[in-house]
Amino acid sequence: MTPTCIHSRHGEEPPLADDGLMLCRHCLGRLNRALSDIVTLWPLLDEMITPGNNGNGGGASGKPGSRPPCDLDVADITDPRSTTSQQLTSWAALVIEERQLSQRTSLDGEQAARLLTVHAEWLAAQPFVDEAMSEIGDAAYRIRRACKDLPEPPLGKCPDIDPHGERDRCGGPLRWIDGSTAVACTRCGSTWAEADLPHILRVVSPDRRFPVPRAWASVTYNVAPATLRQWIRRGHVRSYSDEQVELFDVLARVTDTPMS
């Protein structure tokens, strides 16, 4: 009897595993893609440790006042003692031992991923591949996140009428239009300009934080610096390092406070 894939998602009827493997072809492809991402992105981490590098050639994207990723976070991934490095190198060491390969010392994450790529089908035939795949996938996700290779989470759900008639509201993901503070729904295509943001907050609960420079917020929304400082002191507006404030808190105050 052909075994079922041991890495299928909980609650689903598991697909059949490929001949001689413990994974279906789809899950084997996911394992190989995770390893490929690690091999491709690992060399970029060294560049991103240098202060000022942001992994996109120095260009700004997404939101005003955006800053490069934390250098310490990137450095932690490449540290041989980190969870990410140890997850990769420990599975590579197991393959070396079990397959009686020539002993290799001091493998980094990229070298470990390359070795695991070569032996991916062997790994997919082992009863412990479920655990291996989970840890390798987690490592790939952290590396992709550090390299800004993941789509940013949506701001919230689109409040417009559903153009498809499937429900009352569209509910599609709202995302920033790169290089601006305009917002677009990726499901129905509705867009809102910067001036619309305070009104959107009446019907949308943002799903994530959005720090912007205080000076930018003051000028953009005609808020006196003294007023903005007062909002911060009273706890109405969250403040961040480097003179940044939470945009959505500012917009909520702008919506509720008459502007002169």
Side-chain angles (χ1 to χ4, degrees), residues 52 54 56 58-69 148 152 179 208 210-213 216 242 244:
N54 60 7
N56 61 6
S61 175
K63 61 183 180 182
S66 61
R67 301 185 302 160
K148 301 298 183 183
E152 290 191 346
R208 63 186 178 90
F210 195 90
V212 296
W216 180 90
D242 297 338
Q244 295 195 101

Side-chain angles (χ1 to χ4, degrees), residues 100-144:
Q100 299 182 351
L101 305 177
S102 299
Q103 184 66 34
R104 304 184 186 189
T105 58
S106 302
L107 290 178
D108 64 15
E110 179 187 358
Q111 292 166 334
R114 288 185 183 277
L115 184 145
L116 290 167
T117 299
V118 173
H119 299 277
E121 290 217 9
W122 176 86
L123 190 63
Q126 309 309 311
F128 46 75
V129 67
D130 186 34
E131 181 183 358
M133 189 170 173
S134 294
E135 291 194 359
I136 292 169
D138 288 345
Y141 176 83
R142 286 192 292 271
I143 293 168
R144 290 185 63 196

